[in-house]
């Protein structure tokens, strides 16, 4: 049993170590990482997995930080390759590097949304999202000026089944959105 080569166990060890490394180095910065997909084969309960694909994605506010995070992933892959306690082969398939390029919102539109929040009596702050949103994709496709408006999630929980938002925050967010949209139309009527 000691010489079992269980790819799933190797993937779990890798994910655990990578999460600790990323948390220590980037946990308090404008960076996020997710290991949200694992595929194991052959995928039968009584057969030791011979192969596991673990997908790691990271996002940060700057290209430099994303490059640093890539190097951390690469270093851990190399460490796993040389560790006799890890009974699996580990490979790095960077493909598109699985890093999501930072997209900065249009500063003029950000100012309009900020002013709309103030006039609506809503609190506001600039924040790093790190997620892939339509505004970022649209901006990258055609250099279309983009901005995003978020409303707070209860207890700050997002991208989770427990995510929820208070109704009054949704209403206030809609008010800010309407005020900002009106201001944008007034500045650029067509």
């Amino acid at each position: 049993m000691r010489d079992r080569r269980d790819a799933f166990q190797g993937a779990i060890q890798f994910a655990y170590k990578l999460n600790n490394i990323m948390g220590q180095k980037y946990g308090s910065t404008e960076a996020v990482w997710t290991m949200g997909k694992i595929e194991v084969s052959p995928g039968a309960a009584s057969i030791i997995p011979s192969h596991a694909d673990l997908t790691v994605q990271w996002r940060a506010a700057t290209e430099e930080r994303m490059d640093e995070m890539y190097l951390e992933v690469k270093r851990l892959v190399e460490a796993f390759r040389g560790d006799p306690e890890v009974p699996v082969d580990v490979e790095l398939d960077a493909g598109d590097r699985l890093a999501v390029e930072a997209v900065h919102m249009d500063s003029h539109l950000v100012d309009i949304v900020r002013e709309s929040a103030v006039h609506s009596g809503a609190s506001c702050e600039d924040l790093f999202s790190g997620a892939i949103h339509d505004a970022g994709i649209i901006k990258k496709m055609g250099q279309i000026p983009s901005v995003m408006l978020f409303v707070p999630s209860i207890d700050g929980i997002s991208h989770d089944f427990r995510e929820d938002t208070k109704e009054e925050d949704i209403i206030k967010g809609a008010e800010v959105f309407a005020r900002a949209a009106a201001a944008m139309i007034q500045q650029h009527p067509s």
Side-chain angles (χ1 to χ4, degrees), residues 11-86:
I12 290 171
Q13 290 175 34
F14 183 89
Y16 178 79
K17 287 184 179 181
L18 183 62
N19 194 55
N20 285 337
I21 290 167
M22 293 294 208
Q24 289 171 2
K25 293 196 175 214
Y26 307 110
S28 62
T29 65
E30 292 183 335
V32 293
W33 59 96
T34 305
M35 291 171 267
K37 181 179 177 186
I38 186 166
E39 293 179 0
V40 179
S41 62
S46 61
I47 299 175
I48 299 167
S50 60
H51 186 85
D53 280 328
L54 172 67
T55 301
V56 181
Q57 185 184 76
W58 57 94
R59 301 178 297 277
T62 67
E63 288 293 317
E64 294 80 18
R65 177 58 41 88
M66 288 192 298
D67 290 341
E68 289 173 23
M69 294 173 83
Y70 172 74
L71 291 175
E72 290 300 334
V73 173
K74 191 173 180 180
R75 276 193 277 272
L76 186 59
V77 166
E78 293 301 322
F80 262 60
R81 280 190 187 142
D83 186 346
E85 296 296 313
V86 179

Side-chain angles (χ1 to χ4, degrees), residues 173-184:
E175 181 183 335
V176 172
F177 177 82
R179 188 181 294 270
M184 290 175 204

